[in-house]
Each structure stands twice: as structure tokens, then as C-alpha cells.
Amino acid sequence: MVVGTALLVSSMNLTVGFVVLPQMMEGLDVGLNWVGWTITSYQLSSSILMSLGGRISDQFGRRKIFALSLLVFTIGSVGSALAPNIGFHILMRVVAAVGSGAILPISAAIVSIEFPKHRAKALGLFTTILPIGWILGPTLGGFIADSLSWRVSFLLVVPFSILALIGTMVVAVSYTHLRAHETEADLV
């Protein structure tokens, strides 16, 4: 449930920016060439961290890096919403993407470890969350941007990210008691 929530908000945040570009252009008083960088920088940063996230979590522990990724993602999402100018917004989108990019490979590793006998089925079901987020992001983000503000659309994922972060800590603590013989990297 925790990794599924993290993956959902991560995929929603990827696509929410697509539909709020016109409102961002007006709100930040910039042209399409600048707001386009919010999409490019997010996707580039996220792609780089997807490549590295799994390995980093193997080195330093899945729970720690998963929780850190969620925290970085949440900070970047809040920063994106509060950005006073386009430069800061782009920077915060990169921060959010760094967290988001690491979530996918770590989540896949966690699901693989937790369901070793049914790994293929578990990963198959798990990855169906991605397209749901890709659909919900622009749908809810567009509705919120039209109803409230483009800034609020970037806050859409924050409550769920915080819940996933809390869940990560709670699940990790309960696994510590159940699996005292395993390493920290295997807790989540």
C-alpha cells in the first residue's frame, strides 16, 4: 500500500505539469519557452535518478533511500507550488523529480522482495498504478488549476506523499520487530 501510494503520486506529478502550462505562463509572466523547461527538467532529472535509485538503495538501505526520496519529492512539490519565479519553479521541479525518479526502482525492488513466490504477478499489478497516475495527474490537476490555481495543482500530491512517508516509517518499524535477523536494506 505504501509503495503503491508513492508510485501513484510520483506518476501523477509527472503529468500534472502538462495541463497547467498556460496558467503558469500567465501567473509567472513568462513565455512557453520557459515553462517548457519545467517539463524537460523534470523528465530529464527523473530519468537520471531512475537509473541510479535502485543501486543507491542497495548501497544505503531501501527504507532510508525510499523515505528520503519521498521527502525530497514532497519538498520539491511544495516548492513548485510556492515558487515566486520561473527559475525557482524549475529548480523545485528538478528537486521533485530527483525524489520521484528514485521511487520507481526502489518500489519495484521492494515488491520483488516482499512477494518472491509471486513476483511476476505482483510486479504486473504494481505497475498498473503508473498509468492510473498518468491519467489522474492531468485530470485532477487541470480541474484544480481551473477551479483554484495552478499552484494548488502541484500541492495535490503532498498529503498522499506525507501519508506514504509516515507509512514507510510505520511499516519499517513493524518489520524490524518481525524480522530482527534481516538487514536494514530488507526491511521495507
Side-chain angles (χ1 to χ4, degrees):
M1 184 68 109
V2 171
V3 292
T5 301
L7 190 60
L8 179 68
V9 296
S10 171
S11 63
M12 286 173 64
N13 202 355
L14 169 67
T15 57
V16 75
F18 299 158
V19 296
V20 298
L21 294 180
Q23 290 95 333
M24 287 175 56
M25 288 169 55
E26 184 180 325
L28 295 172
D29 194 29
V30 293
L32 183 59
N33 58 330
W34 277 106
V35 293
W37 275 105
T38 65
I39 306 279
T40 303
S41 64
Y42 189 94
Q43 291 182 324
L44 180 61
S45 303
S46 181
S47 297
I48 291 169
L49 260 292
M50 276 186 203
S51 310
L52 301 173
R55 180 68 178 140
I56 292 169
S57 73
D58 288 345
Q59 295 276 139
F60 299 103
R62 282 184 194 86
R63 181 186 65 85
K64 279 184 197 173
I65 302 303
F66 186 75
L68 180 62
S69 298
L70 274 168
L71 180 62
V72 168
F73 171 74
T74 304
I75 290 168
S77 297
V78 171
S80 296
L82 301 177
N85 57 53
I86 191 64
F88 190 75
H89 182 76
I90 292 170
L91 175 65
M92 290 295 100
R93 290 298 285 162
V94 168
V95 170
V98 165
S100 176
I103 288 171
L104 178 62
I106 299 169
S107 297
I110 291 168
V111 169
S112 294
I113 289 167
E114 290 301 315
F115 301 99
K117 292 180 183 173
H118 304 286
R119 181 175 293 157
K121 189 185 302 182
L123 284 171
L125 289 171
F126 170 74
T127 56
T128 62
I129 295 169
L130 286 169
I132 293 169
W134 296 332
I135 293 167
L136 288 176
T139 304
L140 296 175
F143 177 75
I144 290 170
D146 284 344
S147 303
L148 300 169
S149 165
W150 67 268
R151 294 178 183 278
V152 179
S153 65
F154 287 102
L155 295 174
L156 172 67
V157 298
V158 172
F160 301 103
S161 299
I162 292 170
L163 286 174
L165 186 57
I166 293 167
T168 300
M169 297 304 167
V170 170
V171 169
V173 168
S174 67
Y175 280 166
T176 303
H177 296 294
L178 293 174
R179 301 178 176 179
H181 65 280
E182 293 187 30
T183 65
E184 184 178 345
D186 297 325
L187 292 179
V188 176

